[in-house]
Amino acid sequence: MEKIFKKLNEQQTKAVKQTEGPVLILAGAGSGKTTTIVSRLAYLIEEVGIPASNTLTLTFTNKAAKEMRERSLEMISEVAYPPLLCTFHKFGLLFLKFNIHLLNRQNNFVVIDTDDKKRIIKTINSELPTPLIASEISRYKNSLMTPDDAYKQAELFNYQQIAKVYEEYETYLRENNLVDFDDLIALTYRLLEQNPELAQKTSQKYQYIMIDEYQDTNELQLKLLQKLCTAHSNICVVGDDDQSIYGWRGAHIRNIMEFHEDFVGTNVFKLEENYRSKEPILKVANALIEHNRSRLGKKLVGTRGGGDDVAILNSNDESEEARKIALKINKLLNSGVRGIDIAILYRVNVLSRSIEDGLNRAGIAYKLVGGLRFYDRAEIKDLISYIRVITNFHDDFSFKRIVNKPKRGFGKASIDKVELAAHKNDTSIYEYVTNASLGELEVLVKKKNALTLKKFIKDIVDVAQIAKESTYDFIDVLEDTFHLKNIYAGMQDEAERTLNMDEFYGLFRDFVKKSPESSLDEFLNELTLQSEQDQMEGESIYMMSIHASKGLEFDHVFVIGIEEGFLPLTGDGSDLEEERRLGYVAFTRAKETLTLSHAGSRFYKGRRSDLQKSRFFNEAGLCEGSLIVEKNTAFKKGDLVRHKIFGTGRIVGVSKSGREFKLNINFAGTKRDILASFVERL
C-alpha cells in the first residue's frame, strides 16, 4: 500500500482509489499522469484484488506502453497472467487472432505496413497519386465506410475512382489473407458490433479499462471503447484537453470534452501540480491557454519554485535569429549543460533550414527528430541534382536522379540501357545522347522517349546558358522550364514539399544578392559545407516540430517562428484554439529556461515576407499592446457542424458579433443564428 501511494499527491491518490464507474483524470503537462495510471493499475491488482488478466490498459505508442509496463510490474507482485498493457493496434491484433474466423477469415493473417499498402494500391491504379488513395482508404476505414458507401458519397470522378480502388484493394486483402493497420481497429469494432454475445463476453473479461492520452482518440476508438464497456462502466481515461494537437490526423477533442456524456456518472479529477517546469514558464503557459474557450479548465501550479523569466529574442530576419540562438546554445554548452538537454522547436518544418545553417556555422552538433535534415530531403536533393547537372553536364549520378523527375516516361530499364550504351562508347550519358542520332536512341528506347531525351538535353543546355548570363534569374528559369514542383503534385505532403522548395529558391536568391559575382559552382560548394556535419563532435542538441516534442521534456527550450502565419498558422482550415494548444505544448516542454523567438521577416514561399509578431506574446502576458486578440473562427461557409440541441446543420453564413463569430446554420431546412463557441465542426 505504502509503495503505491508514497509518491502520490492528494488528487492523484483520490483518482487511484476511485476504481468504480467512469473516471476522467485531467492531467496537466508535467503533472505525473504516468505515475498516476500505473499506480491505479497496481492498486486494482494489489489492494482491490482484481486479477491482472481482467485489466486492460491502452495507449498510443509502443514506447509509452513499454515504459508503463515496466513501471507497473515494479509495483505489483508476481502474477500468473500479467496485465494486458499495449497500444490500441496491438489489442486489435490479439483480438483478431482469436476472433477473425467470425468474419470467415483465417487467423494466420499477415499485417501489412504502409509501404506494402502503397505497393498494392499502385498495382491497382497508377494514375491517381498513391498517397492520396492510401489516406482516403484510411479515412474510409476509420469512418466505418464500405466501398459501396464510399462510392455513393463520391461526387467527383477522382473520388469515384478511389472508391473503386478501395473495393479492389479490399478484395486483394481478403484473397491474400492480409489486414492493414486500420483493419486492426475497424475489424475489431465490426466483430463486437455484429456479435453482441462476443461484446458481452469481452467486456466481462476486461472488467477495468484504462486509456492513456485520451485526447488523441478518434471517433472509431471511442466506439470501440463503448463496446468494451458493454457489461460495465469501469473505464478510466487520462488525458489533457489542452494538449489535443492531432485534429489533422483524426483525433477528436470532443471525446475528452464530452466524456461525461458518453459515459454517464463520470468522476473527474484534475492533476494540476506540475513537477517539470519553473514558475515563470508555467505562468506564460497558463496565460496563453486561458484564451481558449473549448476547454474543461485547469491551471498548472508549480512545485519547483521560481527561475529565470521567459526570454524573448527579437531578430530582423532568420539569419540573425539563427546566430543569436547558436550564441545562446554555445554559452549553455560551455557552462556544462549537455546537448541532449537542449531543444529547438518550431510549428512549421520549413523553418528548420535557417537554424540548421546557423548551428552548422557555429559547429554545434544537432539531431533532427521526426524528419530529415533540410538538405537530405528528397525534394531538395532533386533541386541540387538539377543544379549539379547544369554546372556539369557529365555528372551521370545526378543525371540519372533527375531524368524522370517530373515523370517523362523513363523507367529504370530505359535509363540503364542508355547508361550502358554511353559506357560502351566511353562517354557520359549527356555526351552520348547529344551525339547519338534519333535512330540510334530508338534502338534502346521508344521513339517518344528518344525525342523526350533529346529535348531534355536541349533544355539543360539552354538553362545552363541563362545561368552564365544571369545567376539571379536562373532559379526562376529552372522552375519554369522543368516544372519541378509537379514531381510532388497530388502527394499527401505536397504542400510541405513545395514550401521546402520555395525555401531553397529563397536561399539561392539570398546567396546571389550577397555574392552577385558568385557562380553556381560556388553555391554548390557552400551548400556542401553547410550540409556536412560528419566532423562535428560533442553531444547533439535536438531540433523538432512541436508535434514531435509532445511527451518530451528538456532543461532548455527555444521556440522559433512565433509570428502571425507561423504560430499561429492562419488561413483556411486553421483552428486558432488548436494553435494555442500547440503553443502550450511547446512552452511546457521546458524545465529550466524557455526562450521565445520571432523575426521581422523570413524567406517564405520563395520570397522575403515581412512578419507580424504573434498574438501569443500578448495573450501569454509577455508584451503590452493590442495585438490581434479577437476570437478567430475555425468555421467557414459550407462546414457541417453539430449543436447539442439542434443536431447537425450546414453553415450558410459567418459574421462578426462583438468579439465572437455568429454562424447562420441550416438545420434540416430551419435556419438559426448560433454563436461559434456553441457548435463543433464535423
Side-chain angles (χ1 to χ4, degrees), residues 34 49 96 114 135 161 218 300 321 389-390 435 438 589 631:
T34 305
L96 292 179
T114 307
S135 70
Q161 282 187 294
N218 62 23
L300 295 178
E321 175 184 61
V389 170
I390 284 159
N435 295 329
L438 271 175
R589 300 310 94 201
K631 294 289 178 187

Side-chain angles (χ1 to χ4, degrees), residues 40 79 94 144 146 177 193 254 261 275 332 413 421 458 470:
R40 191 173 188 276
V79 288
L94 296 171
L144 298 171
T146 64
N177 201 24
E193 170 70 7
R254 63 90 39 216
E261 293 180 13
Y275 299 97
L332 287 170
K458 181 182 181 302
S470 170

Side-chain angles (χ1 to χ4, degrees), residues 165-176:
V165 175
Y166 179 27
E167 182 178 36
E168 290 183 45
Y169 171 75
E170 286 293 85
T171 302
Y172 183 91
L173 293 192
R174 278 195 303 275
E175 286 176 352
N176 291 277

